[in-house]
Amino acid sequence: MRRPAFAFYIGVLIATVPFFTVFILLNGPDLSEEHILNQKIIELYARLKHAEMLNLERRSDIFHLRQHFTTLLNAASKLETVNNSLHDGISNLLKDSQQLLADIQGGVDLQLPSIHHFLPHLLNSPNSLSPSIKLSRGRSGVTMVLGIPTVKRDVQSYLMSTLQNLIENMSPEEKMDAVIIVFIAETDIEYVTRQAADIENQFPEHINSGLLEVIAPPSTYYPDFDKLRQTLGDPLERVKWRTKQNLDFSYLMMYAQPKGMFYVQLEDDILSKPGYIETMKKFAYKQIADKKDWIILDFCQLGFIGKMFKCVDLSKLITFFIIFHNDKPVDWLLDHVVQTKVCRFDKDPKDCKKRKDQVWLHFKPSLFQHVGTHSSLKGKVQKLKDKQFGKVLLHHPHKNPEAEVKTTLKAYKGYTAARAYKGDTFFWSLLPQPGDILAFHFHTPIVIERYLFRSGNAEHPEDKFLNTSVEVLPVSYPDELLYPKTKDGFLVIGQFKDSTGVAEGNVSSTVSFVKVMRLYVHSESDRWAILSEIHIQPAETKITKKSTGKVLRHAVILLYKIEVFKMI
């Protein structure tokens, strides 16, 4: 039986559409109102489809519970036959349960295949599908769910910079209507715990709000990879790698399915474009409005990046991936799903491609770009870039206060600190050493309201300033020092975060005018360092009656002195 809430929403939709139509006819063709109403109807339709999917899941749960109930009752009946001395209470309970089961509609003569048919090892542990670690506030009912699988990388990790980029390119409203799920696809519990803690420490606000979730699978979820069949003529190591990826994607999709309407598969080494969430939503709703029966909306031309699915369709993909988990790579399996659904055997490849293009829709320009070069498969280098994405921004220019730039850091080629301060390029330094400084000597002392220094960039995300402080030299010291003071008189107002390579913050008004601002390196680095963004924001000058009077008095005195000088 369907839930009453679902039937209610269907009724609302049926009753509402004619009303909107009559309203528009009576009040004239206001296109803006019509567009808004049409958009709301489309969104409601998409949410109803999602509710229907959840309703079917609950019916499936009832079905399986009924099966388990039947199994237990059959076992109890056999026990009663063998042992006639059962307690009267238990015997009566057994009879009542059998009668209750008989009253439930629907038979169980046929049994549908389940995940255990294709991954029988899951039967060995009752918690094989329960996450070993889970950081979640349980957010659901959102429009967009973003899935990011990540594994331990031997060379370098882009995960933190990827999360930072995805979150920064969301509006406040989009952050409330999305979930980002980080799936740590490792079974080393020490590593998983450490990685989850790093994410929680770096993004506490977004973990607490429910925007960001972190999960990891139990070790019992995976089969014995040494017993896999070698397929496609690949060496066993490659078969293990692609089989695990199939299972990783399946687990992530199973977890993500009930959380929203649309699911987007991403990777842990990508860049996004600002406003990507809104762009994807509009494109998806447009296809629904145009009554296009799409399977995939593609927002990146590479691999499995940026592929959007309706959450109601994920069950089909998950089943397909699990059935053939040992046979082919996941991106090939995805192509086979579409091909199986729309292509004919009695037609040529051109006809197949035409049919696939009708359900696999590509959005241009691409919203995501792959920036990693080292694959999770040991020894594999992946240098492919999506040409549809456009040029990757390697530095963020700002208009900063006039200053002389001095540094002890050695610049690489033309990537100098002076040019970076002007916004012409980024600053690229050779290995920073303890005691190195990058200082900005202001031509005129200024009151600093806020600062932002971003290290690393899209092509070299690990070239960060580590263990580096942000310091200022005031014209005069306040009566009460809110910041630590160095031996040479600077106030330490901030620090670069090792995880993101960013130093940002507001400066207390008690500091007043500042002559010099600098970055001070405290430890040796084994990597070069990039400063891709420098933004020093002065406080706005507020003119009061008192200050205006002082200025006028000084002006009068100056004019008087000039006149006296002329007379002399």
Side-chain angles (χ1 to χ4, degrees), residues 240-254:
K240 290 180 181 180
W241 174 77
R242 56 178 169 81
T243 297
K244 182 178 179 299
Q245 188 176 57
N246 287 333
L247 296 175
D248 290 343
F249 282 28
S250 300
Y251 193 102
L252 179 52
M253 287 179 176
M254 282 189 282

Side-chain angles (χ1 to χ4, degrees), residues 25 57 65 75 116 174 178 205 262 278 305 397 432 439 454 474 476 501 525 555:
L25 290 173
E57 283 188 352
L65 285 171
H116 299 100
E174 290 166 350
E205 174 189 353
F262 304 118
E278 184 64 21
I305 301 172
R454 187 186 306 277
S476 60
S525 176

